[in-house]
């Protein structure tokens, strides 16, 4: 590996970004970013959520033009107007969220949009099989993408950019959707491809992964590059300090505040796919007590979203009961459930949490249109809503010039603080928090964690769904693992490691005493399915 | 101030642009645009034109309100046209066949018209809520059915009677009329104009001050966020569609109660479609709609003067069309510009632009 990199040191670097500045109103922008990626290396770009990594990559991939600065590829200055310009220059991007059509085959997905290269027939198929080996994808190109697991889908994404002739591959948070075991496989693939001369730009905020895979690291903070480091010598702590500029916040909760008072009691909850062919939620039993945070771990797409939306009444359960304190919520609509005392921080604040073009105070009313202080009977209480919005802005440190600006003008972290502040008002009994700190900056993350902890100490029951295993382990009193619509295992957050959780999440079964499978019959079935 | 500019600039630009466009069209067709526009303006002072404009404004206003209620939640009630036609014929039939004291008789006709409009709108609403049928398609089809139904109802063997060579329903007795304000040779202003104003005020209060208005606006802005916020989407579709239909039912009443007193073959058609354009022009705001309705009425009525200066009257239609088209574009451009400006302002005040988070 080292021979391949040293042999190429005389060549111009694969990618050089010089003085990139992007003014991007309201949210994190890039300012004077410098980045040099040598040919044949794995270069990690590190930074906290919201530090500006994705913006930078969008600039490099031609999705957004920089306001200032230059991009050089192989020593030549280039100017990308669209992603296809970047592709022509040999740059490919694997997005964090897969861009695949489930109902098409692997081959169709790969060829889609690049039909001109090798047609859509046998020639394309041959080329795909040839490239498949490089990515470690061992499936027939004729297989439907919907039949593939997450790791294989990611390989299809990599295959797509290879097929288009990429030599420099941007991986945008590729491990976010993978469990630890799959991460190792991905890294093997990356190393193998690196030896064949491919260059990788690896975007991540997970320091252990960065140190495991990267040949060099550039750290980005608050939109600008703050330095480079050698991953062989730098410690995680030093990297973390470069990223944050100060101490990292910790999700750790101290003494337990769990009581015996059951707040949420879900029994036998079932939900079928719209066509009724298979269950999305299969016989889910769940209890959340006052003062308790119950965390749900699971690879995305295993029913967590649906569980939350069913408890919220946004989806109709096929069978089962939902009880909040003494009230039976099973037959009630979303509004009545909210009125009964459920606060809801949705996983996608733009789609489910906010009215983006409306002012902050108008957003305060959403979900509370029947309650004080935002309404009186059939009338809205705009004064009350405004006053209470001022309170949230002050208490939750929402950085805004006023409560009359539209929600869209705030940065992600501030929008999220507003949502969390709103959902913690009105004295809820249960808070459902889906990925409460996804895509927010470190400051907002620490504040949101603190507020959840404080509310928990005051007796709030919390149902937490998160893909961030550190957050899940740090905040939860109880962790349940969700797989294919079932709660398959319990884990003890005091002793469990992310690796243990990861193996339970993929259905590989319990690998440690901290994870206990629930329901033997389910457990064995899962192990069998996980094995193939 | 910037706020107001964002609201007023687009329609102003659109009107100027469409005047220029029509000016060019006039020049190409060999007419003098200045004399044409001049004739339209001077026409306002002639005869009953001014009162005609006011009357027509009221009618357009009601139509646009009906459309706007649906628009608020991205519901395209293209069926206002059919709803007011059905409401008109049913209200005329009922009004002409009952005898009640003055005032009450009028009130009953109004209620019947609103109910008939709502009932006609209920069909696409129920189809949408239960079967997911797109309301654009179903309301357009209901418009076709409305023409057939109204033609059937005024047949002589049903409720119609032959008067001269016109077929019409039985005349509503005087107790069911709504008196207007007479300006002698200047014409008579419909009394129903005041109902239209009251509807506008009620609409504003509903949209801005009530829970229902909030839920309507939230549904229109983001149906997903609304449903997470506990707004029942199906209920909102049903209620707003019925409300839209009920108001649509009132469209023909100014003429029915104030002038015609019967539903005949001379029925004024097409107002529902104008209402769509006016609601777009006025951006669903009660004040904006009033302005749009006035503009529409002015173009309609003073356009009659164009024949006198040898210019085809159809130029008015071109103008109305180009206003709507350009106003939609202008609103979108200004909206994006304002949002970016707002974000920049927030960024500047918080010191986040160009570097720090």
């Amino acid at each position: 590996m080292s021979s391949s990199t040293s042999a190429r040191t005389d060549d111009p670097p694969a990618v050089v970004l010089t003085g990139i500045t992007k003014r991007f109103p309201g949210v994190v922008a890039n300012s004077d970013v410098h980045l040099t990626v040598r040919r044949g290396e794995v270069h990690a770009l590190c930074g906290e959520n919201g530090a500006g990594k994705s913006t930078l990559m969008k600039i490099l991939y031609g999705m957004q033009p920089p306001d200032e600065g230059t991009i050089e590829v192989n020593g030549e200055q280039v100017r990308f107007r669209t992603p296809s310009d970047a592709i022509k220059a040999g740059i490919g991007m694997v997005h964090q969220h897969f861009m695949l059509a489930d109902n098409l085959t692997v081959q169709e997905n790969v060829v889609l949009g690049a039909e001109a290269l090798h047609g859509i027939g046998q020639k394309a198929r041959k080329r795909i099989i040839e490239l498949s080996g490089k990515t470690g994808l061992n499936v027939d190109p004729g297989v439907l993408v919907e039949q593939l697991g997450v790791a294989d889908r990611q390989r299809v994404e990599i295959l797509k950019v290879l097929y288009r002739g990429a030599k420099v591959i941007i991986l945008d948070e590729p491990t976010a959707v993978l469990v630890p075991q799959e991460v190792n496989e991905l890294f093997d693939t990356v190393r193998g491809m690196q030896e064949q001369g491919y260059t990788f730009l690896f975007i991540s905020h997970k320091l252990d992964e960065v140190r495991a895979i990267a040949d060099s690291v550039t750290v980005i903070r608050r939109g600008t590059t703050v330095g480079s480091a050698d991953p062989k010598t730098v410690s995680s702590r030093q990297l973390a300090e470069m990223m944050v500029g100060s101490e990292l916040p910790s999700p750790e909760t101290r003494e337990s505040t769990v009581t015996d008072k059951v707040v949420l009691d879900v029994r036998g909850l079932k939900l079928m796919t719209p066509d009724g062919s298979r269950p999305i939620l299969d016989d889910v039993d769940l209890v959340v007590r006052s003062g308790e945070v119950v965390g749900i771990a699971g690879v995305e797409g295993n029913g967590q979203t649906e569980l939350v939306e069913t408890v919220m009444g946004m989806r109709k359960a096929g069978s089962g009961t939902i009880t909040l304190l003494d009230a039976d919520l099973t037959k009630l609509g979303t509004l009545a459930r909210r009125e009964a005392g459920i606060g809801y921080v949705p996983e996608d604040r733009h789609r489910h949490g906010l009215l983006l073009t409306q002012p902050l105070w108008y957003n305060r009313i959403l979900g509370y249109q029947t309650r004080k202080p935002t309404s009186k009977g059939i009338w809205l209480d705009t004064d009350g809503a405004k006053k209470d919005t001022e309170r949230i802005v002050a208490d939750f440190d929402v950085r805004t010039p006023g409560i009359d600006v539209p929600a869209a003008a705030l940065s992600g972290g501030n929008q999220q603080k507003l949502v969390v502040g709103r959902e913690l008002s009105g004295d809820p009994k249960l808070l459902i928090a889906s990925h409460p700190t996804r895509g927010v900056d470190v400051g907002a993350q620490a504040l949101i964690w603190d507020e959840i902890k404080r509310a928990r100490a005051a007796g709030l029951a919390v149902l937490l769904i998160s893909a961030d295993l550190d957050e899940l382990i740090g905040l939860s009193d109880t962790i349940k693992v969700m797989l294919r619509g079932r709660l398959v295992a319990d884990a003890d957050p005091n002793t469990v490691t992310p690796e243990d959780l990861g193996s339970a999440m993929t259905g590989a079964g319990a690998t440690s005493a901290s994870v206990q499978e629930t329901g033997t019959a389910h457990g064995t079935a899962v192990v069998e399915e996980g094995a193939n | 101030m910037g706020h107001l500019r964002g609201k007023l600039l687009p329609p102003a630009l659109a009107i100027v642009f469409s005047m220029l466009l029509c000016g060019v069209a006039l020049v190409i067709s060999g007419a003098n645009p200045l004399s044409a526009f001049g004739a339209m303006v001077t026409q306002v002072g002639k005869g009953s034109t001014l009162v005609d404009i006011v009357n027509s404004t009221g009618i357009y206003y009601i139509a646009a309100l009906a459309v706007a209620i649906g628009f608020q939640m991205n519901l395209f009630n293209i069926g206002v046209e059919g709803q007011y036609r059905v409401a008109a014929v049913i209200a005329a039939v009922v009004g002409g066949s009952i005898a009640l004291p003055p005032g009450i008789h009028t009130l009953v006709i109004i209620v019947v018209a609103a109910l008939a409009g709502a009932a006609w709108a209920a069909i696409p609403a129920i189809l949408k809520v239960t079967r997911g049928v797109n309301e654009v398609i179903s309301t357009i089809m209901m418009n076709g059915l409305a023409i057939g139904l109204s033609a059937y109802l005024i047949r002589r063997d049903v409720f119609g009677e032959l008067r001269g060579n016109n077929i019409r329903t039985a005349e509503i007795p005087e107790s069911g009329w709504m008196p207007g304000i007479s300006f002698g040779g200047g014409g008579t202003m419909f009394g129903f104009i005041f109902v239209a104003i009251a509807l506008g005020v009620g609409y504003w209060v509903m949209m801005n001050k009530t829970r229902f208005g909030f839920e309507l606006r939230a549904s229109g802005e983001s149906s997903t966020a609304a449903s997470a916020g506990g707004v029942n989407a199906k209920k909102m579709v049903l209620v707003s569609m019925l409300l839209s239909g009920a108001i649509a039912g009132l469209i023909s009443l100014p003429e029915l109660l104030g002038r015609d007193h019967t539903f005949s073959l001379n029925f004024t058609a097409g107002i529902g479609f104008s209402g769509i354009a006016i609601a777009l022009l006025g951006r669903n705001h009660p004040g904006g709609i009033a302005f749009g309705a006035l503009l529409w009425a002015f173009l309609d009525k003073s356009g009659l003067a164009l024949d006198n200066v040898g210019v085809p009257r159809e130029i008015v239609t071109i103008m109305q069309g180009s206003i709507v088209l350009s106003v939609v574009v202008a609103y979108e451009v200004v909206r994006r510009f304002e949002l970016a400006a707002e974000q920049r302002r927030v960024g500047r005040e918080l010191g986040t632009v160009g570097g720090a988070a």
Side-chain angles (χ1 to χ4, degrees):
Chain A
M1 186 178 71
S2 58
S3 65
S4 62
T5 36
S6 60
R8 295 166 190 271
T9 39
D10 294 339
D11 297 342
V15 174
V16 180
L17 300 181
T18 315
I20 297 287
T21 295
K22 175 76 185 171
R23 295 186 188 86
F24 200 60
V27 295
V28 178
N30 289 136
S31 143
D32 198 27
V33 169
H34 294 265
L35 180 69
T36 304
V37 183
R38 281 174 292 129
R39 209 177 289 182
E41 72 168 349
V42 176
H43 192 107
L45 184 66
C46 266
E48 273 299 320
N49 284 332
K53 294 169 299 199
S54 296
T55 308
L56 186 63
M57 288 307 109
K58 281 181 185 165
I59 289 171
L60 177 56
Y61 192 51
M63 290 162 83
Q64 279 162 358
D67 292 337
E68 289 165 30
T70 58
I71 303 173
E72 280 173 44
V73 175
N74 297 328
E76 275 176 50
Q77 191 171 327
V78 290
R79 197 173 185 84
F80 299 145
R81 278 183 191 81
T82 62
S84 51
D85 291 346
I87 291 167
K88 269 185 213 132
I91 295 175
M93 180 149 169
V94 175
H95 295 271
Q96 188 178 349
H97 300 287
F98 299 151
M99 309 212 168
L100 297 170
D102 284 357
N103 53 349
L104 297 184
T105 64
V106 170
Q107 178 173 351
E108 285 164 340
N109 266 287
V110 171
V111 171
L112 191 66
E115 295 84 353
L117 289 176
H118 307 286
I120 55 169
Q122 281 306 314
K123 235 172 92 191
R125 186 184 157 86
K126 247 175 79 187
R127 179 77 183 136
I128 289 170
I129 293 173
E130 207 177 298
L131 291 171
S132 285
K134 296 187 181 180
T135 64
L137 183 73
N138 294 315
V139 298
D140 186 88
V143 168
L144 289 180
V145 164
E146 66 184 2
Q147 292 167 354
L148 301 183
V150 177
D152 277 345
R153 286 176 192 222
Q154 191 164 48
R155 295 199 178 94
V156 175
E157 284 282 10
I158 297 175
L159 189 57
K160 264 166 69 179
V161 303
L162 291 187
Y163 189 80
R164 287 159 176 73
K167 299 301 274 179
V168 179
I169 298 163
I170 305 169
L171 299 173
D172 187 5
E173 309 236 358
T175 61
V177 291
L178 302 179
V179 295
Q181 287 77 357
E182 291 171 332
V183 170
N184 289 336
E185 286 173 30
L186 172 71
F187 284 180
D188 290 341
T189 304
V190 167
R191 286 198 194 95
M193 291 176 63
Q194 183 188 14
E195 274 165 27
Q196 296 167 40
Y198 290 99
T199 307
F200 285 90
L201 238 171
F202 179 80
I203 304 173
S204 182
H205 62 273
K206 294 183 182 165
L207 304 179
D208 297 338
E209 291 174 1
V210 166
R211 291 177 59 226
I213 188 72
D215 299 312
S216 50
V217 180
T218 298
V219 177
I220 186 166
R221 182 173 83 222
R222 294 181 155 231
T224 189
T225 39
V226 291
S228 313
D230 179 355
K232 307 280 175 302
T233 56
V234 75
S235 74
S236 283
R237 184 171 182 79
Q238 286 168 314
L239 261 187
E241 277 170 10
M242 283 174 81
M243 275 165 60
V244 187
S246 62
E247 288 278 305
L248 263 173
S250 145
E252 219 75 8
T253 47
R254 271 154 290 281
E255 72 279 8
S256 167
T257 55
V258 182
T259 63
D260 341 331
K261 193 170 117 192
V262 173
V263 175
L264 177 72
D265 191 355
V266 174
R267 295 226 177 130
L269 198 64
K270 270 199 173 154
L271 178 75
M272 300 297 283
T273 48
D275 57 8
S277 60
R278 64 185 177 86
I280 304 174
L281 294 177
D282 196 356
D283 214 8
V284 173
D285 292 319
L286 182 68
V287 168
V288 188
R289 295 179 177 82
S290 173
E292 182 185 33
V293 177
V294 173
I296 306 281
V299 178
E300 274 184 57
N302 273 282
Q304 302 95 312
T305 306
E306 290 80 3
L307 173 66
V308 166
E309 293 185 357
T310 311
V311 173
M312 281 310 296
M314 295 156 68
R315 288 170 189 261
K316 243 202 183 114
S319 63
T321 59
I322 299 168
T323 315
L324 187 78
L325 294 170
D326 294 324
D328 182 7
L329 301 185
T330 313
K331 296 234 164 5
L332 299 181
T334 306
L335 188 66
R337 293 184 191 205
R338 280 176 159 278
E339 286 169 346
I342 304 184
Y344 174 39
V345 178
E347 66 174 69
D348 185 338
R349 58 180 164 270
H350 286 180
R351 270 173 60 78
H352 290 110
L354 293 167
L355 304 170
L356 286 171
T357 68
Q358 299 293 342
L360 303 189
W361 66 265
Y362 203 76
N363 275 284
R364 170 65 182 86
I365 305 173
L366 189 66
Y368 296 81
Q369 58 268 37
T370 51
R371 278 179 278 171
K372 284 182 178 168
T374 51
S375 82
K376 288 178 190 155
I378 65 157
W379 302 100
L380 294 181
D381 182 352
T382 49
D383 289 338
K386 284 178 184 172
K387 223 186 209 157
D388 204 57
T389 311
E390 298 276 14
R391 175 189 67 81
I392 293 173
V393 166
D395 288 0
F396 288 77
D397 189 31
V398 181
R399 310 269 170 86
T400 171
I403 58 168
D404 286 318
V405 299
L410 300 191
S411 72
N414 285 309
Q415 288 174 347
Q416 190 72 349
K417 285 189 273 187
L418 180 75
V419 171
V420 172
R422 178 182 72 197
E423 299 303 331
L424 283 176
S425 18
D427 195 21
K429 308 291 179 283
L430 170 72
L431 178 73
I432 299 179
S434 273
H435 308 282
T437 62
R438 177 183 273 178
V440 308
D441 56 286
V442 185
Q445 189 175 38
L447 185 134
I448 290 167
W449 282 340
D450 282 346
E451 291 294 340
I452 291 177
K453 284 184 228 170
R454 185 184 310 170
R456 160 184 172 273
L460 181 74
V462 179
L463 181 61
L464 174 72
I465 286 85
S466 181
D468 180 344
L469 297 184
D470 293 326
E471 173 176 78
L472 207 58
I473 294 170
L475 277 181
S476 304
D477 298 296
T478 311
I479 294 179
K480 295 188 178 289
V481 179
M482 195 159 200
L483 178 69
R484 298 193 194 100
R486 289 183 197 144
L487 295 177
V488 294
D490 287 341
D492 178 357
N494 291 320
T495 52
V496 76
T497 63
E499 285 70 26
D500 295 337
L501 264 188
S503 102
M505 282 158 63
T506 48
T511 54
S512 108
S514 310
V515 182
Q516 300 214 313
E517 288 170 25
T518 51
T520 339
H522 288 181
T524 15
V526 162
V527 172
E528 280 164 12
E529 284 172 57
N532 54 50
Chain B
M1 197 204 89
H3 208 59
L4 205 61
R5 188 188 59 196
K7 288 198 167 125
L8 297 183
L9 197 61
L13 284 176
I15 290 165
V16 171
F17 177 74
S18 62
M19 280 179 72
L20 285 176
L21 199 71
C22 292
V24 171
L26 286 171
V27 169
I28 290 173
S29 64
N32 181 352
L34 287 180
S35 73
F37 291 137
M40 283 176 72
V41 173
T42 47
Q43 174 69 23
V44 174
K46 289 183 189 159
S48 65
T49 306
L50 185 60
V51 169
D52 286 346
I53 289 175
V54 172
N55 284 341
S56 186
T57 300
I59 294 168
Y60 282 139
Y61 189 61
I62 300 171
L65 281 184
V67 176
I69 287 174
F71 274 175
Q72 288 281 6
M73 65 168 296
N74 292 336
L75 203 59
F76 290 84
N77 182 6
I78 311 295
V80 168
E81 182 71 21
Q83 287 146 19
Y84 90 86
R85 176 181 282 267
V86 167
V89 65
I90 291 177
V93 168
V94 171
S97 58
I98 55 172
L100 285 168
I104 296 176
H105 195 166
T106 312
L107 202 64
V108 166
I109 295 175
I110 294 174
V111 171
V112 165
L115 288 178
W120 201 248
I123 298 168
I126 291 169
L127 283 175
K128 184 176 176 76
V129 170
T130 58
R131 309 299 310 165
V133 177
N134 187 310
E135 79 281 1
V136 175
I137 310 291
S138 56
T139 51
I140 288 175
M141 296 189 340
M142 293 298 289
N143 286 346
L145 292 178
I147 293 174
L149 180 69
S150 62
Y152 170 76
L153 288 178
I154 60 168
R155 273 168 60 130
R156 278 159 63 202
D157 51 353
V158 187
F159 294 113
E161 57 186 42
L162 193 63
R163 188 63 62 94
N165 50 11
N166 199 351
I167 302 174
R168 58 173 225 185
T169 60
E171 182 155 299
I172 298 171
E174 204 169 340
S175 58
W177 299 2
M178 186 179 263
I181 299 170
S182 175
F183 294 93
T188 302
M189 193 176 93
F190 294 143
F192 210 83
I193 297 298
F194 296 102
V195 178
I197 295 171
L199 283 174
V201 173
Y203 171 81
W204 184 85
V205 171
M206 182 188 83
M207 289 315 300
N208 290 292
K209 297 291 172 195
T210 69
R211 185 188 140 193
F212 177 77
F214 174 85
E215 294 189 334
L216 204 60
R217 277 169 68 178
S219 307
E221 163 101 26
S222 161
S223 58
T224 48
S227 89
V231 179
N232 183 337
K234 289 186 172 179
K235 190 186 108 191
M236 294 312 292
V237 168
L238 199 63
V239 174
S240 57
M241 199 72 187
L242 291 183
L243 204 56
S244 176
I247 294 182
L250 306 180
I251 292 172
S252 60
L253 292 190
E255 291 182 347
L256 189 67
L257 300 179
R259 188 186 71 204
D260 298 345
H261 314 306
T262 175
F263 183 94
S264 72
L265 291 179
N266 297 337
F267 179 72
T268 319
I271 296 169
F273 296 127
S274 303
I276 296 171
I278 294 165
L280 276 176
L281 185 62
R283 280 205 106 184
N284 307 330
H285 185 278
I289 293 173
F291 167 77
L294 184 65
L295 181 68
W296 232 248
F298 162 75
L299 290 174
D300 263 8
K301 299 298 172 194
S302 57
L304 300 176
L306 289 178
D307 287 340
N308 303 339
V309 290
V311 172
R313 211 164 75 199
E314 283 67 32
I315 199 79
V316 164
T317 314
I318 296 179
M319 201 151 168
Q320 289 174 334
S322 56
I323 287 176
V324 171
L325 209 57
S326 41
V327 85
V328 170
V329 175
Y331 273 134
E332 187 56 25
V333 170
V334 170
R335 188 187 69 81
R336 288 185 190 182
F337 176 79
E338 297 256 308
L339 185 63
E342 186 73 6
Q343 288 182 329
R344 261 196 303 279
R345 187 175 72 83
V346 172
R348 201 166 48 239
E349 290 186 25
L350 298 174
T352 58
V353 171

